Amino acid sequence: MNPQYWLMKSEPSVYSIDDLKKDKKTLWSGVRNYQARNYMMNEMKEGDLAFFYHSNAEPSGIAGLMKITKVALVDKTALDKKSEYHDPKSTIEKPIWFCTEVQFVSKYNKILALTDLKTHSELKDMPLLQKGSRLSVQKVSPSEFKFIENLIK
DNA sequence: GCCAACGTTGGC
DNA sequence: GCCAACGTTGGC
């Protein structure tokens, strides 16, 4: 099975591509949206590639690339009463929230800014570029992935 | 900091 | 099941 491609958002003030570069791997926890969860629980596969997107940033845009190393892991931050991501509806017996483990692949020399991405008609169907879209885990088609990789070079 | 768009909650 | 109110996201 060929790898699938994704885009995953994080606010760099919370967790940035530099943090992932330093950590090498991290758990993509704290996602509290059902569609994003379903992707991480049901559709992502080990070996898939994901763009690391900096949201609420200066500039906002794609900052690097990572690889999915584990999927459908219980998000333990939801069970932790002391976590800001705690969700009382999630229990050990019936966890609600799931995450993936991701591995650093590369940091781009330059942020590929949202304003740049918007200028390419090849990318106009990306959920990222749709008005009002704020899904934090999104699919990227193979052609979109290749096109963006070429923009990086 | 503003605010449009979105997802979730809860009263009915 | 509807939908208003609310909290959050995230670009600008």
Side-chain angles (χ1 to χ4, degrees):
Chain A
M1 186 71 171
N2 291 327
Q4 295 191 89
Y5 305 107
W6 305 90
L7 180 145
M8 299 169 87
K9 297 180 187 175
S10 177
E11 299 194 20
S13 60
V14 178
Y15 195 86
S16 73
I17 188 74
D18 289 321
D19 293 321
L20 182 61
K21 185 175 185 180
K22 175 163 53 73
D23 294 344
K24 306 283 191 278
K25 284 185 178 183
T26 195
L27 292 175
W28 206 265
S29 55
V31 172
R32 298 293 176 265
N33 169 281
Y34 286 102
Q35 189 174 352
R37 178 207 67 173
N38 291 346
Y39 282 158
M40 293 196 289
M41 190 169 72
N42 302 325
E43 295 206 40
M44 278 189 185
K45 298 284 178 273
E46 200 181 313
D48 285 358
L49 295 170
F51 290 123
F52 192 131
Y53 181 86
H54 281 180
S55 60
N56 257 317
E58 196 51 55
S60 291
I62 294 173
L65 187 67
M66 53 195 175
K67 181 186 281 188
I68 309 301
T69 45
K70 290 180 184 170
V71 300
L73 304 169
V74 171
D75 183 345
K76 296 211 170 75
T77 65
L79 307 172
D80 178 1
K81 284 196 174 63
K82 292 194 283 289
S83 169
E84 63 174 307
Y85 302 111
H86 178 242
D87 183 349
K89 294 193 298 300
S90 193
T91 63
I92 295 170
E93 296 75 26
K94 276 199 159 187
I96 296 176
W97 301 111
F98 291 79
C99 61
T100 58
E101 182 190 71
V102 300
Q103 180 179 48
F104 177 81
V105 173
S106 62
K107 175 188 174 180
Y108 299 143
N109 294 328
K110 182 173 175 295
I111 299 270
L112 187 47
L114 180 63
T115 49
D116 292 340
L117 295 171
K118 281 179 176 170
T119 64
H120 301 287
S121 63
E122 291 87 343
L123 303 177
K124 66 175 168 36
D125 293 330
M126 289 183 76
L128 182 71
L129 304 186
Q130 307 313 306
K131 184 180 166 72
S133 165
R134 50 184 224 193
L135 189 60
S136 67
V137 178
Q138 307 184 354
K139 285 189 177 185
V140 175
S141 77
S143 61
E144 288 161 351
F145 181 83
K146 288 193 189 81
F147 186 83
I148 292 170
E149 284 256 285
N150 278 316
L151 291 179
I152 303 300
K153 288 175 191 165

